[in-house]
């Protein structure tokens, strides 16, 4: 049996906006997409947190997670993630305590250490870059609200979180892998700085992992883009809208809505934009079922990942769902037929 067939596959949807479709539509698309992902047999469905970003509608992950959980029945639902330095740990504990109370046994709490993208956003949030430095302390305080052992604010209790156990995950931004190991929490990591760097971080996480009440052993969730289509070229086309947005953000300082492939191919790019665009396509896993299956087997074998979190975004929502349907089939997920999945 292949490694992929024994590995849980999950989905992160960032509620990407698209040209011609507004933010409210993107959020409704996310909820509808979660219903279809559940029908295809995926394990988790996570949403993200971004503030004042034109290309992302997901700014309130706990609220959106509640809508997703209400629309589904078997999926684990969570965040990838709540950016803890942007919030008071007490409020985050209360939010997830409410979610776990309403949807018991289905809620995940993915946590990151990023702060707002620009100085203006950070000021609006009442935060600055230095707030990310105390992520370990913020994390300890948050978890302490669930166990009733936090000491940062004596006699303060998070209701109804105290006594509940919501699985917590650490996103490996910056020093996140080390923080996850020291806290005894699962790690979510992507090959942002290349696959070799990711594998070194995973190795360090496993080496330094300290068992805790939240986890007895290391648990690694590798995340990344996966695009599957009938041909290699069709799969590559799925990646173009996100690659263009990435290149645009690095040359204009703002992350824009996704554009259609035809619009991108007819857009004149500067030499720098073209280089960044091509760079954004490198290292992505795409192709036919056979090509993607081979790539997944190699990555899962090298990383020893316990789970794979798929983060693919594209302009064409029908093509995106077809990619996830093909991925579900090649990894052996228990899936409904395409027609059934479309009708959920």
């Amino acid at each position: 049996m292949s490694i992929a067939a024994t590995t849980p596959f999950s989905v992160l949807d960032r509620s990407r906006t698209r040209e011609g479709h507004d933010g409210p539509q993107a959020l409704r698309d996310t909820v509808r997409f979660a219903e279809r992902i559940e029908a295809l047999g995926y394990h988790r469905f996570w949403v993200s947190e971004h503030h004042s970003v034109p290309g992302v509608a997901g700014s309130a992950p706990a609220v959106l997670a509640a809508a997703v959980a209400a629309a589904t029945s078997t999926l684990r639902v969570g965040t990838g993630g709540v950016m803890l330095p942007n919030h008071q740990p007490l409020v985050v504990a209360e939010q997830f305590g409410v979610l776990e109370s309403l949807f018991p046994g289905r809620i995940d709490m993915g946590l990151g250490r990023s702060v707002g993208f620009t100085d203006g956003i950070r000021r609006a949030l009442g935060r600055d870059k230095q707030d990310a430095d105390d992520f370990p302390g913020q994390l300890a305080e948050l978890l302490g609200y669930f166990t009733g052992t936090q000491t940062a604010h004596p006699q303060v209790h998070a209701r109804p979180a105290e006594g509940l156990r919501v699985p917590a995950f650490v996103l490996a931004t910056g020093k996140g892998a080390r923080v996850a190991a020291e806290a005894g929490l699962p790690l979510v990591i992507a090959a942002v700085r290349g696959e070799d760097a990711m594998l070194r971080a995973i190795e360090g996480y496993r080496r330094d992992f300290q068992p805790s009440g939240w986890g007895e052993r290391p648990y690694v969730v590798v995340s990344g883009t996966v695009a599957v289509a009938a041909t290699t070229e069709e799969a590559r086309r799925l990646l173009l809208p996100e690659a263009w947005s990435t290149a645009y953000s690095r040359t204009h300082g703002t992350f824009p809505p996704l554009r259609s492939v035809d619009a991108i191919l007819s857009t004149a790019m500067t030499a720098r934009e073209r280089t960044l665009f091509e760079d954004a396509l490198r290292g992505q896993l795409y192709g036919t079922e056979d090509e993607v299956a081979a790539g997944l087997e190699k990555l899962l074998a090298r990383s020893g990942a316990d789970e794979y979190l798929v983060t693919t975004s594209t302009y064409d929502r029908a093509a995106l769902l077809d990619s996830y349907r093909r991925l579900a089939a090649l990894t052996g997920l228990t899936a409904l037929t395409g027609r059934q999945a479309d009708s959920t």
Side-chain angles (χ1 to χ4, degrees):
M1 181 178 293
S2 69
I3 301 174
T6 59
T7 301
F9 277 75
S10 300
V11 175
L12 170 67
D13 188 79
R14 289 180 293 149
S15 302
R16 291 288 273 116
T17 57
R18 298 174 291 154
E19 286 189 345
H21 305 267
D22 61 14
Q25 180 63 54
L27 295 173
R28 293 190 293 268
D29 285 343
T30 289
V31 176
R32 176 69 170 166
F33 188 49
E35 295 176 302
R36 293 170 171 176
I37 287 299
E38 179 175 69
L40 290 170
Y42 285 86
H43 183 46
R44 310 179 199 273
F45 190 94
W46 283 4
V47 297
S48 64
E49 175 184 342
H50 296 271
H51 298 284
S52 191
V53 178
V56 183
S59 57
V63 178
L64 185 53
V68 170
T72 56
S73 59
T74 60
L75 273 176
R76 295 200 62 87
V77 177
T79 54
V82 165
M83 296 300 122
L84 193 51
N86 289 339
H87 310 279
Q88 292 298 333
L90 172 64
V91 175
V92 176
E94 290 171 338
Q95 291 173 343
F96 280 87
V98 170
L99 284 169
E100 177 64 19
S101 298
L102 295 174
F103 308 101
R106 294 181 54 210
I107 300 301
D108 299 323
M109 186 168 58
L111 304 163
R113 66 182 294 275
S114 296
V115 290
F117 182 62
T118 67
D119 288 339
I121 296 171
R122 288 189 287 272
R123 285 194 297 270
L125 291 168
R127 297 292 185 267
D128 59 39
K129 289 183 178 180
Q130 286 67 41
D131 286 303
D133 296 338
D134 191 35
F135 179 63
Q138 296 159 355
L139 179 62
E141 181 183 340
L142 171 62
L143 298 179
Y145 282 119
F146 286 92
T147 59
T149 59
Q150 71 83 24
T151 58
H153 302 283
Q155 300 182 333
V156 175
H157 300 270
R159 313 291 188 193
E162 190 169 307
L164 300 178
R165 184 55 59 94
V166 178
F169 299 73
V170 173
L171 278 61
T173 52
K175 301 175 182 178
R178 187 178 69 189
V179 173
E182 293 175 350
L185 293 175
L187 172 71
V188 183
I189 188 166
V192 176
R193 295 178 176 84
E195 188 173 307
D196 288 341
M198 180 184 73
L199 295 175
R200 288 193 297 272
I202 291 173
E203 181 182 4
Y205 163 74
R206 291 195 176 111
R207 181 191 63 238
D208 299 333
F209 184 85
Q210 300 177 19
S212 70
W214 296 86
E216 296 180 356
R217 66 174 186 85
Y219 190 92
V220 175
V221 182
V222 169
S223 68
T225 296
V226 181
V228 194
T231 67
T232 306
E233 181 55 31
E234 287 179 52
R236 185 179 183 275
R237 285 172 63 89
L238 286 173
L239 305 179
L240 300 186
E242 191 71 44
W244 177 83
S245 289
T246 299
Y248 188 95
S249 71
R250 292 176 179 173
T251 52
H252 293 76
T254 184
F255 207 75
L258 297 173
R259 304 184 71 192
S260 70
V261 172
D262 289 342
I264 292 167
L265 294 178
S266 63
T267 298
M269 299 186 194
T270 65
R272 175 166 168 73
E273 287 172 335
R274 176 63 62 181
T275 297
L276 291 169
F277 177 69
E278 296 295 339
D279 286 346
L281 292 169
R282 293 191 180 94
Q284 308 288 10
L285 183 53
Y286 68 91
T288 64
E289 281 89 341
D290 288 344
E291 290 169 333
V292 169
L296 282 174
E297 288 296 301
K298 181 181 178 181
L299 176 59
L300 293 172
R302 292 192 71 195
S303 65
D306 298 282
E307 185 175 335
Y308 197 102
L309 180 68
V310 187
T311 62
T312 311
S313 298
T314 195
Y315 181 89
D316 187 333
R317 300 290 297 184
L320 179 65
L321 179 61
D322 182 64
S323 175
Y324 275 102
R325 185 186 295 114
R326 290 173 183 270
L327 179 61
L330 74 87
T331 55
L333 298 179
T334 302
L336 301 178
T337 65
R339 179 173 296 178
Q340 288 172 310
D342 280 337
S343 64
T344 55

